[in-house]
Amino acid sequence: MQNRMEQIQFDENIYNTIRQNIRKYRKEKGLTSAQLAEMVDLSHDFIRQIESEKVGYNFSVETFYKISVALDVSLDKLAEKQQANS
């Protein structure tokens, strides 16, 4: 158990990782933030805030889930830290 605990590394910037991935996958799907907002029944401004690292707005698990469904990307893919050269 001790070895397992030593190996666990948490993403200290998980919200920023998710923000970057939402933006990445949204663009890959050819969607604007306004289109994504409409798909998940949220305001365009709210989606822009979620994607903005400057605003630093934290969002709910429900919102995270809805966005993953709309983008057809699994939750784990949205939370996956990208390699520096990606």
Side-chain angles (χ1 to χ4, degrees):
M1 183 70 170
Q2 185 65 20
N3 283 342
R4 173 70 178 135
M5 291 182 73
E6 290 173 9
Q7 293 174 351
I8 295 175
Q9 291 187 356
F10 295 102
D11 183 347
E12 299 296 325
N13 295 306
I14 188 63
Y15 277 99
N16 284 338
T17 297
I18 294 169
R19 289 176 216 291
Q20 291 166 0
N21 286 332
I22 289 171
R23 190 178 317 113
K24 171 188 165 187
Y25 289 113
R26 175 182 60 74
K27 288 181 176 185
E28 282 181 8
K29 296 277 184 193
L31 296 171
T32 65
S33 54
Q35 289 169 321
L36 177 59
E38 189 173 324
M39 292 171 75
V40 296
D41 198 29
L42 295 168
S43 74
H44 179 216
D45 191 51
F46 188 76
I47 293 295
R48 286 187 14 218
Q49 288 177 2
I50 288 173
E51 288 188 359
S52 171
E53 293 176 26
K54 293 177 186 169
V55 175
Y57 188 85
N58 294 342
F59 40 89
S60 70
V61 171
E62 180 181 6
T63 297
F64 181 45
Y65 168 74
K66 286 180 175 181
I67 290 171
S68 79
V69 171
L71 295 176
D72 193 28
V73 175
S74 65
L75 293 170
D76 61 328
K77 280 286 195 195
L78 286 182
E80 185 176 74
K81 192 161 184 79
Q82 300 298 310
Q83 298 300 322
N85 59 4
S86 297

Coordinates of all heavy atoms in Angstrom, one line a residue:
M1 N 0.8 -1.2 0.0 CA 0.0 0.0 0.0 C 0.9 1.3 0.0 O 0.6 2.2 -0.7 CB -0.9 0.0 1.2 CG -1.9 1.1 1.3 SD -3.1 1.0 -0.1 CE -4.2 2.2 0.4
Q2 N 2.0 1.2 0.7 CA 2.8 2.4 0.8 C 3.4 2.7 -0.6 O 3.4 3.9 -1.0 CB 4.0 2.1 1.8 CG 4.9 3.3 2.0 CD 4.2 4.5 2.7 OE1 3.2 4.4 3.3 NE2 4.8 5.7 2.5
N3 N 3.9 1.7 -1.4 CA 4.4 2.0 -2.7 C 3.3 2.6 -3.6 O 3.6 3.5 -4.3 CB 4.9 0.7 -3.3 CG 6.2 0.3 -2.8 OD1 6.9 1.1 -2.2 ND2 6.6 -0.9 -3.0
R4 N 2.1 2.1 -3.5 CA 1.0 2.7 -4.3 C 0.8 4.2 -4.0 O 0.6 5.0 -4.8 CB -0.3 1.9 -4.1 CG -1.5 2.4 -4.7 CD -1.5 2.3 -6.2 NE -2.7 2.8 -6.8 CZ -2.8 3.6 -7.8 NH1 -1.7 4.0 -8.4 NH2 -3.9 4.0 -8.3
M5 N 0.8 4.5 -2.7 CA 0.6 5.9 -2.3 C 1.7 6.8 -2.8 O 1.4 7.9 -3.1 CB 0.4 6.0 -0.8 CG -0.9 5.3 -0.3 SD -1.2 5.5 1.4 CE -1.6 7.2 1.6
E6 N 2.9 6.3 -2.8 CA 4.0 7.1 -3.3 C 4.0 7.3 -4.8 O 4.5 8.3 -5.3 CB 5.3 6.4 -2.9 CG 5.6 6.4 -1.4 CD 6.8 5.6 -1.1 OE1 7.6 5.1 -2.0 OE2 7.1 5.4 0.1
Q7 N 3.3 6.4 -5.5 CA 3.2 6.6 -7.0 C 2.1 7.5 -7.4 O 2.2 7.9 -8.6 CB 3.0 5.2 -7.6 CG 4.2 4.3 -7.4 CD 3.9 2.9 -7.9 OE1 2.8 2.5 -8.2 NE2 5.0 2.0 -8.0
I8 N 1.2 7.8 -6.6 CA 0.0 8.6 -7.0 C 0.5 10.0 -7.2 O 1.1 10.6 -6.3 CB -1.1 8.6 -6.0 CG1 -1.7 7.2 -5.9 CG2 -2.2 9.6 -6.4 CD1 -2.8 7.0 -4.9
Q9 N 0.2 10.6 -8.4 CA 0.5 12.0 -8.6 C -0.8 12.6 -9.1 O -1.4 12.2 -10.1 CB 1.6 12.1 -9.7 CG 2.9 11.7 -9.2 CD 4.1 12.0 -10.2 OE1 3.8 12.5 -11.2 NE2 5.3 11.7 -9.8
F10 N -1.2 13.7 -8.5 CA -2.4 14.4 -8.8 C -2.0 15.6 -9.7 O -1.0 16.2 -9.5 CB -3.1 14.9 -7.6 CG -3.6 13.7 -6.7 CD1 -3.0 13.3 -5.6 CD2 -4.8 13.0 -7.1 CE1 -3.4 12.3 -4.8 CE2 -5.2 12.0 -6.4 CZ -4.6 11.6 -5.2
D11 N -2.9 15.9 -10.6 CA -2.8 17.1 -11.5 C -3.1 18.3 -10.6 O -4.3 18.5 -10.3 CB -3.7 16.9 -12.7 CG -3.5 18.1 -13.7 OD1 -2.9 19.1 -13.3 OD2 -4.0 17.9 -14.8
E12 N -2.2 19.1 -10.3 CA -2.4 20.3 -9.4 C -3.2 21.3 -10.1 O -3.8 22.2 -9.5 CB -1.1 20.8 -8.9 CG -0.3 19.8 -8.1 CD -1.0 19.4 -6.8 OE1 -1.7 20.2 -6.2 OE2 -0.8 18.2 -6.4
N13 N -3.3 21.3 -11.4 CA -4.0 22.3 -12.2 C -5.1 21.6 -13.0 O -5.3 21.9 -14.2 CB -3.0 23.0 -13.2 CG -2.0 23.8 -12.4 OD1 -2.4 24.6 -11.6 ND2 -0.8 23.6 -12.7
I14 N -5.9 20.7 -12.4 CA -6.9 19.9 -13.1 C -7.9 20.7 -13.9 O -8.3 20.4 -15.0 CB -7.6 18.9 -12.2 CG1 -8.4 17.9 -13.0 CG2 -8.4 19.6 -11.1 CD1 -7.7 17.0 -14.0
Y15 N -8.3 21.9 -13.3 CA -9.3 22.7 -14.0 C -8.7 23.3 -15.3 O -9.3 23.3 -16.3 CB -9.8 23.8 -13.1 CG -10.9 23.4 -12.2 CD1 -10.7 23.0 -10.9 CD2 -12.2 23.3 -12.7 CE1 -11.7 22.6 -10.1 CE2 -13.3 22.9 -11.9 CZ -13.0 22.5 -10.6 OH -14.0 22.1 -9.7
N16 N -7.4 23.7 -15.2 CA -6.8 24.2 -16.4 C -6.6 23.1 -17.5 O -6.8 23.3 -18.7 CB -5.5 24.9 -16.1 CG -5.6 26.2 -15.5 OD1 -6.7 26.9 -15.6 ND2 -4.6 26.7 -14.8
T17 N -6.3 21.9 -17.0 CA -6.2 20.7 -17.9 C -7.5 20.5 -18.6 O -7.6 20.4 -19.9 CB -5.7 19.5 -17.2 OG1 -4.4 19.7 -16.6 CG2 -5.7 18.3 -18.1
I18 N -8.6 20.5 -17.9 CA -9.9 20.3 -18.4 C -10.3 21.4 -19.4 O -10.8 21.2 -20.5 CB -11.0 20.1 -17.3 CG1 -10.7 18.8 -16.5 CG2 -12.4 20.1 -17.9 CD1 -11.5 18.7 -15.3
R19 N -10.0 22.6 -19.0 CA -10.3 23.8 -19.9 C -9.6 23.6 -21.2 O -10.2 23.8 -22.3 CB -9.8 25.1 -19.2 CG -10.5 25.6 -18.1 CD -9.7 26.8 -17.5 NE -9.8 26.9 -16.1 CZ -10.9 27.1 -15.4 NH1 -12.0 27.3 -16.0 NH2 -10.9 27.1 -14.1
Q20 N -8.3 23.3 -21.2 CA -7.5 23.2 -22.4 C -8.1 22.1 -23.3 O -8.2 22.2 -24.5 CB -6.1 22.9 -22.1 CG -5.4 24.1 -21.5 CD -4.0 23.7 -20.9 OE1 -3.6 22.5 -20.9 NE2 -3.3 24.7 -20.3
N21 N -8.5 21.0 -22.6 CA -9.0 19.8 -23.4 C -10.4 20.1 -24.0 O -10.7 19.7 -25.1 CB -9.1 18.6 -22.5 CG -7.7 18.0 -22.3 OD1 -6.8 18.1 -23.2 ND2 -7.5 17.3 -21.2
I22 N -11.3 20.8 -23.2 CA -12.6 21.2 -23.8 C -12.4 22.1 -25.0 O -13.0 21.8 -26.0 CB -13.4 22.0 -22.7 CG1 -13.9 21.0 -21.6 CG2 -14.6 22.7 -23.4 CD1 -14.5 21.7 -20.4
R23 N -11.5 23.1 -24.9 CA -11.2 23.9 -26.1 C -10.7 23.1 -27.2 O -11.1 23.2 -28.4 CB -10.2 25.0 -25.7 CG -10.0 26.1 -26.7 CD -9.1 27.2 -26.3 NE -9.3 27.6 -24.9 CZ -8.4 27.5 -23.9 NH1 -7.3 26.8 -24.1 NH2 -8.7 27.9 -22.7
K24 N -9.7 22.2 -27.0 CA -9.1 21.4 -28.0 C -10.1 20.5 -28.7 O -10.2 20.5 -29.9 CB -8.0 20.5 -27.3 CG -7.4 19.4 -28.3 CD -6.6 18.5 -27.5 CE -6.3 17.2 -28.3 NZ -5.6 16.2 -27.6
Y25 N -10.9 19.8 -27.9 CA -11.9 18.9 -28.6 C -13.0 19.6 -29.2 O -13.5 19.2 -30.3 CB -12.4 17.8 -27.5 CG -11.3 16.8 -27.2 CD1 -10.8 16.8 -25.9 CD2 -10.9 15.9 -28.1 CE1 -9.8 15.9 -25.5 CE2 -9.9 15.0 -27.8 CZ -9.4 15.0 -26.5 OH -8.4 14.0 -26.2
R26 N -13.4 20.8 -28.7 CA -14.4 21.6 -29.3 C -14.0 22.0 -30.7 O -14.7 21.9 -31.7 CB -14.8 22.8 -28.5 CG -15.8 23.8 -29.1 CD -16.1 25.0 -28.3 NE -14.9 25.8 -27.9 CZ -14.3 26.6 -28.8 NH1 -14.7 26.7 -30.0 NH2 -13.3 27.3 -28.4
K27 N -12.7 22.5 -30.8 CA -12.2 23.0 -32.0 C -12.0 21.8 -33.0 O -12.3 22.0 -34.2 CB -10.9 23.7 -31.8 CG -11.1 25.1 -31.2 CD -9.8 25.8 -31.0 CE -10.0 27.2 -30.4 NZ -8.8 28.0 -30.3
E28 N -11.6 20.6 -32.5 CA -11.5 19.5 -33.4 C -12.8 19.1 -34.0 O -12.9 18.6 -35.1 CB -10.9 18.3 -32.6 CG -9.4 18.3 -32.4 CD -8.9 17.1 -31.6 OE1 -9.6 16.1 -31.4 OE2 -7.7 17.2 -31.2
K29 N -13.9 19.3 -33.3 CA -15.2 19.0 -33.8 C -15.8 20.1 -34.7 O -16.8 20.0 -35.2 CB -16.2 18.8 -32.6 CG -15.9 17.7 -31.7 CD -16.5 16.4 -32.3 CE -16.2 15.3 -31.3 NZ -16.5 14.0 -31.9
G30 N -15.0 21.2 -34.8 CA -15.4 22.3 -35.6 C -16.6 23.1 -35.0 O -17.3 23.8 -35.7
L31 N -16.7 23.1 -33.7 CA -17.7 23.9 -33.0 C -17.2 25.2 -32.5 O -16.1 25.3 -32.0 CB -18.3 23.0 -31.8 CG -19.0 21.7 -32.2 CD1 -19.2 20.9 -30.9 CD2 -20.3 21.9 -32.9
T32 N -18.1 26.2 -32.5 CA -17.8 27.4 -31.8 C -18.2 27.3 -30.3 O -19.0 26.3 -30.0 CB -18.6 28.6 -32.4 OG1 -20.0 28.4 -32.2 CG2 -18.3 28.8 -33.9
S33 N -17.7 28.1 -29.5 CA -18.2 28.0 -28.1 C -19.7 28.3 -27.9 O -20.3 27.7 -27.1 CB -17.3 29.0 -27.2 OG -17.4 30.3 -27.7
A34 N -20.2 29.1 -28.8 CA -21.7 29.4 -28.8 C -22.4 28.1 -29.2 O -23.5 27.9 -28.6 CB -22.0 30.5 -29.8
Q35 N -22.0 27.4 -30.2 CA -22.6 26.1 -30.5 C -22.6 25.1 -29.4 O -23.6 24.4 -29.1 CB -22.0 25.5 -31.8 CG -22.3 26.3 -33.1 CD -21.4 25.9 -34.2 OE1 -20.2 25.6 -34.1 NE2 -22.0 25.9 -35.4
L36 N -21.4 25.0 -28.8 CA -21.3 24.1 -27.6 C -22.2 24.5 -26.5 O -22.9 23.7 -25.9 CB -19.9 24.0 -27.1 CG -19.6 23.2 -25.9 CD1 -20.0 21.7 -26.1 CD2 -18.2 23.2 -25.5
A37 N -22.3 25.8 -26.2 CA -23.2 26.3 -25.2 C -24.7 25.9 -25.5 O -25.4 25.5 -24.6 CB -23.1 27.8 -25.1
E38 N -25.1 26.1 -26.7 CA -26.4 25.7 -27.1 C -26.7 24.2 -26.9 O -27.7 23.8 -26.4 CB -26.7 26.1 -28.5 CG -28.1 25.9 -28.9 CD -28.4 26.5 -30.3 OE1 -27.8 27.5 -30.7 OE2 -29.2 25.8 -31.0
M39 N -25.7 23.4 -27.2 CA -25.8 21.9 -27.1 C -26.0 21.5 -25.7 O -26.7 20.5 -25.4 CB -24.6 21.2 -27.7 CG -24.5 21.4 -29.2 SD -22.9 20.8 -29.8 CE -23.1 19.0 -29.7
V40 N -25.4 22.2 -24.7 CA -25.4 21.8 -23.3 C -26.3 22.7 -22.5 O -26.4 22.6 -21.3 CB -24.0 21.7 -22.7 CG1 -23.2 20.6 -23.4 CG2 -23.3 23.0 -22.7
D41 N -27.1 23.5 -23.2 CA -28.1 24.4 -22.5 C -27.4 25.3 -21.5 O -27.9 25.4 -20.4 CB -29.2 23.6 -21.9 CG -30.4 24.4 -21.6 OD1 -30.7 25.4 -22.3 OD2 -31.2 24.1 -20.7
L42 N -26.3 25.9 -21.9 CA -25.7 26.9 -21.0 C -25.4 28.2 -21.8 O -25.5 28.1 -23.1 CB -24.3 26.4 -20.5 CG -24.4 25.2 -19.6 CD1 -23.0 24.6 -19.4 CD2 -25.0 25.5 -18.2
S43 N -25.1 29.3 -21.2 CA -24.9 30.5 -21.9 C -23.5 30.5 -22.6 O -22.6 29.8 -22.1 CB -25.0 31.7 -21.0 OG -23.9 31.8 -20.1
H44 N -23.5 31.2 -23.7 CA -22.2 31.3 -24.4 C -21.1 31.9 -23.5 O -20.0 31.4 -23.5 CB -22.4 32.2 -25.7 CG -21.2 32.4 -26.5 ND1 -20.9 33.6 -27.1 CD2 -20.1 31.6 -26.7 CE1 -19.7 33.5 -27.7 NE2 -19.3 32.3 -27.5
D45 N -21.5 32.9 -22.7 CA -20.5 33.5 -21.8 C -20.0 32.5 -20.8 O -18.8 32.5 -20.5 CB -21.2 34.7 -21.1 CG -20.2 35.6 -20.4 OD1 -19.1 36.0 -21.0 OD2 -20.4 35.9 -19.2
F46 N -20.9 31.7 -20.3 CA -20.5 30.7 -19.3 C -19.4 29.7 -19.9 O -18.4 29.4 -19.3 CB -21.7 29.9 -18.8 CG -21.4 28.9 -17.7 CD1 -21.2 29.4 -16.4 CD2 -21.3 27.6 -17.9 CE1 -20.9 28.6 -15.4 CE2 -21.1 26.7 -16.9 CZ -20.9 27.2 -15.6
I47 N -19.7 29.3 -21.2 CA -18.7 28.4 -21.8 C -17.4 29.1 -22.0 O -16.3 28.5 -21.8 CB -19.3 27.9 -23.2 CG1 -20.5 26.9 -23.0 CG2 -18.2 27.1 -24.0 CD1 -20.2 25.6 -22.2
R48 N -17.4 30.3 -22.4 CA -16.2 31.1 -22.6 C -15.5 31.2 -21.3 O -14.2 31.2 -21.3 CB -16.5 32.5 -23.2 CG -16.9 32.4 -24.7 CD -17.0 33.8 -25.3 NE -16.5 34.9 -24.5 CZ -17.1 36.1 -24.4 NH1 -18.2 36.4 -25.1 NH2 -16.5 37.0 -23.7
Q49 N -16.2 31.4 -20.2 CA -15.5 31.5 -18.9 C -14.9 30.2 -18.5 O -13.8 30.1 -17.9 CB -16.5 31.9 -17.8 CG -17.0 33.3 -17.9 CD -18.0 33.7 -16.9 OE1 -18.4 32.9 -16.1 NE2 -18.5 34.9 -16.9
I50 N -15.6 29.1 -18.8 CA -15.0 27.7 -18.5 C -13.7 27.5 -19.3 O -12.8 27.0 -18.7 CB -16.0 26.6 -18.9 CG1 -17.2 26.6 -17.9 CG2 -15.4 25.2 -18.9 CD1 -18.3 25.6 -18.3
E51 N -13.7 28.0 -20.5 CA -12.5 27.8 -21.3 C -11.4 28.7 -21.0 O -10.2 28.5 -21.4 CB -12.8 27.8 -22.8 CG -13.6 26.7 -23.3 CD -13.8 26.7 -24.8 OE1 -13.3 27.6 -25.5 OE2 -14.4 25.7 -25.3
S52 N -11.7 29.8 -20.3 CA -10.7 30.8 -20.0 C -9.9 30.5 -18.8 O -10.5 30.4 -17.7 CB -11.4 32.2 -19.9 OG -10.5 33.2 -19.4
E53 N -8.6 30.5 -18.9 CA -7.7 30.3 -17.8 C -7.6 31.5 -16.9 O -7.3 31.5 -15.7 CB -6.4 29.8 -18.2 CG -6.4 28.4 -18.8 CD -5.1 28.0 -19.4 OE1 -4.0 28.4 -18.9 OE2 -5.1 27.1 -20.3
K54 N -7.9 32.7 -17.5 CA -7.9 34.0 -16.8 C -9.0 34.1 -15.8 O -8.8 34.6 -14.7 CB -7.9 35.1 -17.8 CG -6.7 35.2 -18.7 CD -6.8 36.3 -19.7 CE -5.7 36.3 -20.7 NZ -5.9 37.2 -21.8
V55 N -10.2 33.6 -16.2 CA -11.3 33.7 -15.3 C -11.2 32.8 -14.1 O -11.5 33.1 -13.0 CB -12.7 33.5 -16.1 CG1 -13.9 33.5 -15.1 CG2 -12.8 34.6 -17.1
G56 N -10.7 31.6 -14.4 CA -10.5 30.6 -13.4 C -11.8 30.1 -12.8 O -11.9 29.7 -11.6
Y57 N -12.9 30.1 -13.5 CA -14.2 29.7 -13.0 C -14.2 28.1 -12.9 O -13.9 27.4 -13.8 CB -15.3 30.1 -14.0 CG -16.7 29.9 -13.4 CD1 -17.3 30.8 -12.5 CD2 -17.4 28.7 -13.7 CE1 -18.5 30.5 -12.0 CE2 -18.6 28.4 -13.1 CZ -19.2 29.4 -12.2 OH -20.4 29.1 -11.7
N58 N -14.6 27.7 -11.7 CA -14.8 26.2 -11.5 C -16.2 25.8 -11.8 O -17.1 26.6 -11.6 CB -14.5 25.9 -10.0 CG -13.0 26.1 -9.7 OD1 -12.2 26.3 -10.6 ND2 -12.7 26.2 -8.5
F59 N -16.3 24.7 -12.4 CA -17.6 24.2 -12.9 C -18.0 22.9 -12.3 O -17.2 22.2 -11.7 CB -17.6 24.1 -14.4 CG -16.3 23.5 -15.0 CD1 -16.2 22.1 -15.1 CD2 -15.2 24.3 -15.3 CE1 -15.0 21.6 -15.5 CE2 -14.0 23.8 -15.7 CZ -13.9 22.4 -15.8
S60 N -19.3 22.6 -12.3 CA -19.8 21.4 -11.7 C -19.5 20.1 -12.5 O -19.2 20.1 -13.7 CB -21.3 21.5 -11.5 OG -21.9 21.4 -12.8
V61 N -19.6 19.0 -11.8 CA -19.4 17.7 -12.4 C -20.5 17.5 -13.5 O -20.2 17.0 -14.6 CB -19.5 16.5 -11.4 CG1 -19.5 15.2 -12.0 CG2 -18.3 16.6 -10.4
E62 N -21.7 18.0 -13.2 CA -22.8 17.9 -14.2 C -22.4 18.7 -15.5 O -22.6 18.1 -16.6 CB -24.1 18.5 -13.6 CG -25.2 18.4 -14.6 CD -26.5 19.0 -14.0 OE1 -26.5 19.6 -12.9 OE2 -27.6 18.9 -14.7
T63 N -21.9 19.8 -15.4 CA -21.4 20.6 -16.5 C -20.3 19.9 -17.3 O -20.3 19.8 -18.5 CB -21.0 22.0 -16.1 OG1 -22.1 22.7 -15.5 CG2 -20.4 22.8 -17.3
F64 N -19.4 19.4 -16.5 CA -18.3 18.6 -17.1 C -18.8 17.4 -17.9 O -18.4 17.1 -19.0 CB -17.4 18.1 -15.9 CG -16.2 17.3 -16.3 CD1 -15.3 17.7 -17.3 CD2 -15.8 16.2 -15.5 CE1 -14.2 16.9 -17.6 CE2 -14.7 15.4 -15.8 CZ -13.9 15.8 -16.8
Y65 N -19.8 16.7 -17.3 CA -20.4 15.5 -18.0 C -21.1 16.0 -19.2 O -21.0 15.3 -20.3 CB -21.4 14.8 -17.0 CG -22.3 13.8 -17.6 CD1 -21.8 12.6 -18.1 CD2 -23.6 14.1 -17.9 CE1 -22.6 11.7 -18.7 CE2 -24.4 13.2 -18.5 CZ -23.9 12.0 -18.9 OH -24.7 11.1 -19.5
K66 N -22.0 17.0 -19.2 CA -22.7 17.5 -20.3 C -21.8 17.8 -21.5 O -22.1 17.5 -22.6 CB -23.6 18.7 -20.0 CG -24.8 18.3 -19.1 CD -25.6 19.6 -18.9 CE -26.9 19.3 -18.2 NZ -27.6 20.6 -17.9
I67 N -20.7 18.5 -21.2 CA -19.8 18.9 -22.2 C -19.1 17.7 -22.8 O -19.0 17.6 -24.0 CB -18.7 19.9 -21.6 CG1 -19.4 21.2 -21.3 CG2 -17.5 20.1 -22.6 CD1 -18.5 22.2 -20.6
S68 N -18.8 16.7 -22.0 CA -18.2 15.5 -22.5 C -19.1 14.7 -23.5 O -18.7 14.2 -24.5 CB -17.7 14.5 -21.4 OG -18.8 13.8 -20.8
V69 N -20.4 14.7 -23.1 CA -21.4 14.1 -24.0 C -21.5 14.8 -25.3 O -21.5 14.3 -26.4 CB -22.7 13.9 -23.3 CG1 -23.8 13.5 -24.2 CG2 -22.6 13.0 -22.1
A70 N -21.6 16.2 -25.2 CA -21.8 17.0 -26.4 C -20.6 16.9 -27.3 O -20.8 16.9 -28.5 CB -22.0 18.5 -26.0
L71 N -19.4 16.8 -26.8 CA -18.2 16.6 -27.6 C -17.9 15.2 -28.0 O -17.0 14.9 -28.8 CB -17.0 17.2 -26.8 CG -17.0 18.7 -26.6 CD1 -15.8 19.2 -25.7 CD2 -17.1 19.5 -27.9
D72 N -18.7 14.2 -27.4 CA -18.5 12.8 -27.7 C -17.0 12.4 -27.3 O -16.3 11.7 -28.0 CB -18.8 12.5 -29.1 CG -18.9 11.0 -29.3 OD1 -19.2 10.2 -28.4 OD2 -18.6 10.5 -30.5
V73 N -16.6 12.9 -26.1 CA -15.3 12.6 -25.6 C -15.5 12.1 -24.1 O -16.3 12.7 -23.4 CB -14.4 13.9 -25.6 CG1 -13.1 13.6 -24.9 CG2 -14.2 14.4 -27.0
S74 N -14.8 11.1 -23.8 CA -15.0 10.5 -22.4 C -14.5 11.5 -21.4 O -13.6 12.4 -21.7 CB -14.3 9.2 -22.3 OG -12.9 9.4 -22.4
L75 N -15.0 11.4 -20.2 CA -14.6 12.3 -19.1 C -13.1 12.1 -18.8 O -12.4 13.1 -18.6 CB -15.3 11.9 -17.8 CG -16.8 12.2 -17.8 CD1 -17.5 11.6 -16.6 CD2 -17.1 13.7 -17.8
D76 N -12.6 10.9 -18.9 CA -11.1 10.7 -18.6 C -10.3 11.4 -19.7 O -9.2 11.9 -19.4 CB -10.8 9.2 -18.5 CG -11.0 8.4 -19.7 OD1 -12.0 8.6 -20.4 OD2 -10.3 7.4 -19.9
K77 N -10.8 11.4 -20.9 CA -10.0 12.1 -22.0 C -10.0 13.6 -21.7 O -9.0 14.3 -21.9 CB -10.6 11.9 -23.4 CG -10.2 10.6 -24.0 CD -8.8 10.7 -24.5 CE -8.5 9.5 -25.4 NZ -7.1 9.4 -25.6
L78 N -11.1 14.2 -21.2 CA -11.1 15.6 -20.9 C -10.2 16.0 -19.7 O -9.8 17.1 -19.6 CB -12.6 16.1 -20.6 CG -13.5 16.2 -21.8 CD1 -14.9 16.7 -21.4 CD2 -12.9 17.1 -22.9
A79 N -10.0 15.0 -18.8 CA -9.2 15.2 -17.7 C -7.7 14.8 -17.9 O -6.9 15.0 -17.0 CB -9.8 14.5 -16.4
E80 N -7.4 14.3 -19.0 CA -6.1 13.8 -19.3 C -5.1 14.9 -19.6 O -5.3 15.8 -20.5 CB -6.1 12.9 -20.5 CG -4.8 12.2 -20.8 CD -5.0 11.2 -22.0 OE1 -5.2 11.6 -23.1 OE2 -5.1 10.0 -21.7
K81 N -4.0 15.0 -18.8 CA -3.0 16.0 -19.0 C -2.3 15.7 -20.3 O -1.9 14.6 -20.6 CB -2.0 15.9 -17.9 CG -1.1 17.1 -17.8 CD -0.5 17.3 -16.5 CE 0.4 18.5 -16.3 NZ -0.4 19.7 -16.1
Q82 N -2.2 16.8 -21.1 CA -1.6 16.7 -22.5 C 0.0 16.7 -22.3 O 0.5 17.4 -21.4 CB -2.1 17.8 -23.4 CG -3.5 17.8 -23.6 CD -4.0 16.5 -24.3 OE1 -3.5 16.1 -25.3 NE2 -5.0 15.9 -23.7
Q83 N 0.7 16.1 -23.2 CA 2.1 16.2 -23.2 C 2.5 17.6 -23.6 O 1.8 18.3 -24.4 CB 2.7 15.2 -24.2 CG 2.4 13.7 -23.9 CD 2.9 13.3 -22.6 OE1 4.0 13.7 -22.2 NE2 2.2 12.5 -21.8
A84 N 3.6 18.0 -23.2 CA 4.1 19.4 -23.4 C 4.2 19.7 -24.9 O 4.1 20.8 -25.3 CB 5.4 19.6 -22.7
N85 N 4.6 18.7 -25.7 CA 4.8 18.9 -27.1 C 3.5 18.7 -28.0 O 3.5 18.8 -29.2 CB 5.9 18.0 -27.7 CG 5.6 16.6 -27.5 OD1 4.5 16.2 -27.0 ND2 6.5 15.7 -27.9
S86 N 2.3 18.5 -27.3 CA 1.0 18.4 -28.0 C 0.5 19.7 -28.4 O 0.5 20.6 -27.7 CB 0.0 17.7 -27.1 OG 0.4 16.4 -26.8

